[in-house]
Amino acid sequence: MKFAVISLVLWAGMALAVDPGVLSVENLTQDLLRVESVREIKNIQRTYAQLAQHGRWKGMASLFAENGILRWGKGAGDILSTSDASSITGRPAIENWLQQEAGDMDGINPGSLHVFMSDMPVITLADDGNTAKGRWTALRKLGNGKGATRIEGGIFENEYVSSGGKWKISLLRYYPLYAGTYEKGWKNLGLNGSLPVVSYHYTLDQAGVTLLHAGRTARRSKEGTGTLNRRSTPAASLSVDELEYRVAHLNEEDEVRNLVHGMGYYVDRRMWPDVISLFTSNGTITVQNNTSLAGPAGIQSVLNRMGPEGLSHGILNEHPIFGTVVNVSPDHKTAVARGLEIGLIGDDNAQTGQWQFCVFHHSLVKDLDTGTWKIQDLGYHRLLFADYAAGWGDGGILPASSLDPPPVLPPYYQSTENRRPVEWRPFYKRYPAWEEPEEETRDRLANIHRLLLRSSAYDESENTSGSYGFYIDDIRCSDFAKLHSDRGHKLSPGIGWYYTPDAISLSCASRYYRQNSTTYNPSMSSLRSSVPFHWRLQPVILVSHDGRSATLRTRNLQTGTSRTQGSNGWMGGMYHDQLVLENGKRKLWSITIDEFYWNSRNWTAGWANVVPHVSNATTPRRWMSRRQSNDLPPDVSLRHPALLERETGFNGGPPPTVSWPGVQRMWWAYRNLVTGAMPSDSSYWGPPGCVPCRGAKPEWALTANGYQEPPSGPTIVTADWLEGSGVDIEVTVKGGPEESAKGGWVQLVLDFNGEITKFGEEGPVGEDGKVVLRVRGPGAFGTTVPIQVFYFGNENLKPGKGIMRDRK
């Protein structure tokens, strides 16, 4: 069988300039295994949380190494000390402890709840690729269905080991920071309610470091730290075919994850036309095994149950997504995504709110006509729905589900036994044409490296994002500033953007510590009476053609803890970031924070000002509320004239300020990930993806500094017979605004039951986004097989595909 669809990832004539010594099958094999390892480690931790939701203690224990250790802090004394933790060794003992610790809040007993939220990973892979460490933020929401509840939150600092070709947990170390009940809310744990900083397993030098050989060795050479250690037992080098296939598998996974996460943001805003556009023509939604009618009307009928299109004053429809695991089929034609979705539903007008805990199990298919992924079925399994005023302790407002939950996806998605041999070869004709087999191999390896860099960029960006999140939780000004590029810029909420790490650090230190220093960090031994938490989750990451730059949209789900029980609720905002590869590390280029779209008055009233279920309606804790000193003005103000439309309504921006329960405008830096259309609410800002770069500071744009702007969405390819001609086809290629298709190569193909035949002319797209190609060659007129039109992309646009079924 020929995998013609993979041709979409080949961008003709655009190979990344790399030291030829790096482009060996051995190096690329090692690099591929590193990226796959990081993903498998994340899948293991996410699987651990998913199994916990259903009381699958044996399955959770099986994720540990044979002599793995679970060390679970109690929070009664010194949180950082092992004396404050239970330590359990070995799978049988771990299974028993997990079951005992959960008690009747196991997710199995009728009405019970065991929701495990774990996200914002920072994974650091050892140089030899055999061990790793990971930091995660965590929160458990538990109930027994009989009135008892627990809320527990903290941080994981875990260790992992590669064992028998599969990754396992060697140490799961949980540091508890806060706990409480639904009735009263939570407060600090530890001695006298004072919280320490949980040490980071990573250093600033490790945060965001590239996973690939070329970037790591270049960084080490520059720093004089020696050569890179390889695996103690090097893996056998893969064939070029297998490398191409497995890298394509990673690329496909990125597309699926982005689509699932992007869909969630549309649902939040009740953008029903945008949601429906992500489905196949016969797509469905399945809730508790009840499947809608196929097609747009059936999907719309289910969406209408959430309410009418669009948000109005006081209406909240948040559905944050946690722990997404993606499984792409071996033929890259279907995929499944599984994770946790929590509905934060409210009507401030009626003072009613609701919790909705669901497992999602979505099915997706690849449209072979366009090469884009689409949703075939959105599947939801209810864990528990609860009225906000009453909480989840009594089992919620809907009867407990008697259905078996959807299966947990295997974390070892990249196992070689699940692969098929790759038989296809690149079919496009390069200019100049390959003359020697060595030339073809060299170009294929360069292309594999570039495509692997694009998937590596996804994980590196997530690592840097998580590192930033943990540093801002601990308000470590100098540390999070140094995560930025030398030319990076960050929005200080309510003020404006500061340019360069020194300015970013100084603005933080002066704002929160009254320190006039560009290198200030609080002591790691300091104790805190309160801590903010910034959950940066549900990323949509779009990577440039060369893999050196990326645009990141991520949710800011914010809460905190203090010594006062019940003083903290939830708040919601959005990050619009960009990252670059600089000196071997993935650095923050631009950060824009849109906050807050909504907030809780306190734990008791929640986000919808519900009628109090207890009397302790404490004053809410307001995080990050100090104002910037007037003697440190930003480089770009939120009130800059060029940003008037973009920043109106946000705190510190042009008036009038829109505060919850008012509904603020939501902005998008990317187009529809299926159709390529603009958001239906007309709130598109990009490219460039950096907010102040449009009008205020164009010199801050990626393209003004030697980087490529990541594509803002899919490339749309259409073709038709040129009017008046029976042999010429006019191909039109479109991206988003300011994204030119010029120079990208176009080719016409016939697919005879898997046998690919190229025919007709081929050539580059012109200034107007069009190219005319003459049909000729075997099978050009003697068959009704549709004509496939491939566009191989350029520095601005992704590859794209179209199809002509009308044969003259």
Side-chain angles (χ1 to χ4, degrees), residues 193-384:
S194 297
L195 295 178
V197 176
V198 178
S199 296
Y200 314 99
H201 75 263
Y202 54 90
T203 64
L204 268 172
D205 184 56
Q206 293 172 315
V209 67
T210 181
L211 294 166
L212 305 192
H213 180 83
R216 299 195 313 281
T217 52
R219 176 178 61 88
R220 286 170 173 268
S221 176
K222 179 178 179 180
E223 297 168 353
T225 54
T227 58
L228 180 74
N229 294 325
R230 308 312 295 268
R231 286 176 177 263
S232 55
T233 306
S237 296
L238 300 172
S239 68
V240 177
D241 284 343
E242 182 68 6
L243 284 168
E244 283 176 328
Y245 172 79
R246 286 169 69 162
V247 171
H249 195 88
L250 295 174
N251 293 165
E252 302 290 3
E253 186 181 88
D254 297 340
E255 299 285 339
V256 171
R257 186 178 292 105
N258 277 345
L259 179 55
V260 170
H261 290 174
M263 179 273 302
Y265 291 127
Y266 286 160
V267 170
D268 291 346
R269 305 294 289 187
R270 289 187 183 172
M271 297 168 63
W272 299 151
D274 303 76
V275 173
I276 294 172
S277 71
L278 304 179
F279 284 76
T280 63
S281 60
N282 63 342
T284 55
I285 299 179
T286 299
V287 180
Q288 297 297 105
N289 282 1
N290 295 314
T291 301
S292 69
L293 295 175
I299 297 168
Q300 183 74 64
S301 67
V302 177
L303 297 177
N304 286 343
R305 298 176 198 168
M306 296 189 207
E309 180 183 347
L311 298 179
S312 57
H313 183 276
I315 300 299
L316 188 70
N317 195 54
E318 293 288 290
H319 291 79
I321 290 172
F322 300 83
T324 304
V325 176
V326 172
N327 193 320
V328 177
S329 66
D331 62 5
H332 296 174
K333 293 181 180 180
T334 62
V336 177
R338 192 190 196 278
L340 173 69
E341 182 175 300
I342 299 181
L344 312 177
I345 312 302
D347 184 345
D348 190 87
N349 309 293
Q351 295 187 320
T352 59
Q354 192 177 109
W355 294 97
Q356 298 181 353
F357 300 101
C358 290
V359 170
F360 66 82
H361 192 272
H362 302 329
S363 299
L364 302 96
V365 298
K366 193 164 192 179
D367 186 330
L368 299 184
D369 287 353
T370 64
T372 57
W373 286 92
K374 296 182 178 181
I375 299 169
Q376 182 61 51
D377 179 71
L378 283 186
Y380 292 97
H381 175 86
R382 185 180 67 248
L383 298 175
L384 187 146

Side-chain angles (χ1 to χ4, degrees), residues 24-238:
S24 68
V25 170
E26 177 190 6
N27 283 342
L28 288 172
T29 297
Q30 296 292 332
D31 285 347
L32 171 67
L33 293 176
R34 291 182 68 83
V35 179
E36 289 182 336
S37 291
V38 167
R39 298 204 174 187
E40 186 171 300
I41 290 165
K42 288 191 282 193
N43 280 354
I44 286 172
Q45 195 67 36
R46 290 163 176 162
T47 299
Y48 180 92
Q50 291 184 18
L51 290 168
Q53 294 158 9
H54 311 294
R56 304 290 176 82
W57 319 123
K58 187 178 185 65
M60 295 167 70
S62 72
L63 299 174
F64 285 78
E66 184 175 356
N67 294 313
I69 299 171
L70 185 152
R71 187 166 292 138
W72 197 273
K74 302 172 184 176
D78 181 357
I79 288 173
L80 302 182
S81 173
T82 55
S83 64
D84 185 60
S86 300
S87 292
I88 303 93
T89 302
R91 294 167 186 160
I94 289 172
E95 177 187 353
N96 182 66
W97 184 90
L98 290 170
Q99 184 173 7
Q100 294 300 316
E101 192 274 342
D104 58 358
M105 301 182 186
D106 55 7
I108 302 173
N109 292 317
S112 66
L113 182 71
H114 197 109
V115 163
F116 203 136
M117 302 154 60
S118 181
D119 223 300
M120 209 167 78
V122 179
I123 308 298
T124 305
L125 192 65
D127 282 346
D128 64 8
N130 294 319
T131 60
K133 296 181 179 181
R135 186 181 182 98
W136 303 74
T137 190
L139 176 61
R140 296 198 301 170
K141 297 180 177 180
L142 313 176
N144 67 356
K146 304 172 186 176
T149 58
R150 287 157 53 193
I151 299 174
E152 302 172 349
I155 289 173
F156 283 113
E157 273 285 355
N158 299 340
E159 298 179 9
Y160 307 88
V161 63
S162 181
S163 175
K166 294 183 178 181
W167 282 91
K168 297 288 185 180
I169 301 169
S170 56
L171 171 66
L172 189 141
R173 178 61 164 107
Y174 174 66
Y175 295 92
L177 297 179
Y178 57 96
T181 64
Y182 192 86
E183 181 183 14
K184 296 182 179 180
W186 61 79
K187 65 178 181 178
N188 296 354
L189 294 173
L191 295 172
N192 301 316
S194 297
L195 295 178
V197 176
V198 178
S199 296
Y200 314 99
H201 75 263
Y202 54 90
T203 64
L204 268 172
D205 184 56
Q206 293 172 315
V209 67
T210 181
L211 294 166
L212 305 192
H213 180 83
R216 299 195 313 281
T217 52
R219 176 178 61 88
R220 286 170 173 268
S221 176
K222 179 178 179 180
E223 297 168 353
T225 54
T227 58
L228 180 74
N229 294 325
R230 308 312 295 268
R231 286 176 177 263
S232 55
T233 306
S237 296
L238 300 172

Side-chain angles (χ1 to χ4, degrees), residues 503-639:
I504 293 168
S505 180
L506 180 59
S507 70
C508 171
S510 64
R511 182 172 187 171
Y512 300 111
Y513 300 107
R514 301 295 187 256
Q515 295 286 328
N516 186 26
S517 171
T518 61
T519 60
Y520 182 78
N521 275 321
S523 170
M524 286 292 291
S525 62
S526 62
L527 297 174
R528 287 113 12 114
S529 62
S530 60
V531 180
F533 296 109
H534 304 74
W535 288 63
R536 287 171 57 93
L537 61 134
Q538 198 175 327
V540 174
I541 303 175
L542 305 176
V543 182
S544 65
H545 161 78
D546 61 10
R548 295 175 60 239
S549 52
T551 297
L552 164 67
R553 177 191 181 96
T554 184
R555 188 188 296 273
N556 178 23
L557 186 61
Q558 191 169 333
T559 186
T561 184
S562 71
R563 291 170 177 160
T564 304
Q565 190 161 16
S567 63
N568 296 279
W570 291 93
M571 297 174 278
M574 201 67 63
Y575 284 98
H576 303 271
D577 303 343
Q578 290 194 311
L579 302 97
V580 299
L581 188 60
E582 181 178 276
N583 298 326
K585 290 191 285 187
R586 195 66 56 173
K587 293 278 197 170
L588 290 163
W589 181 262
S590 176
I591 288 186
T592 293
I593 311 167
D594 291 344
E595 61 178 22
F596 289 102
Y597 283 101
W598 58 274
N599 61 272
S600 300
R601 288 158 174 78
N602 48 52
W603 173 250
T604 299
W607 49 78
N609 198 23
V610 300
V611 176
H613 53 275
V614 292
S615 59
N616 67 328
T618 55
T619 301
R621 178 81 183 187
R622 294 299 183 189
W623 299 105
M624 310 292 270
S625 59
R626 294 178 183 169
R627 301 295 296 177
Q628 188 70 62
S629 171
N630 291 331
D631 60 4
L632 192 65
D635 292 280
V636 175
S637 169
L638 279 169
R639 300 196 177 196

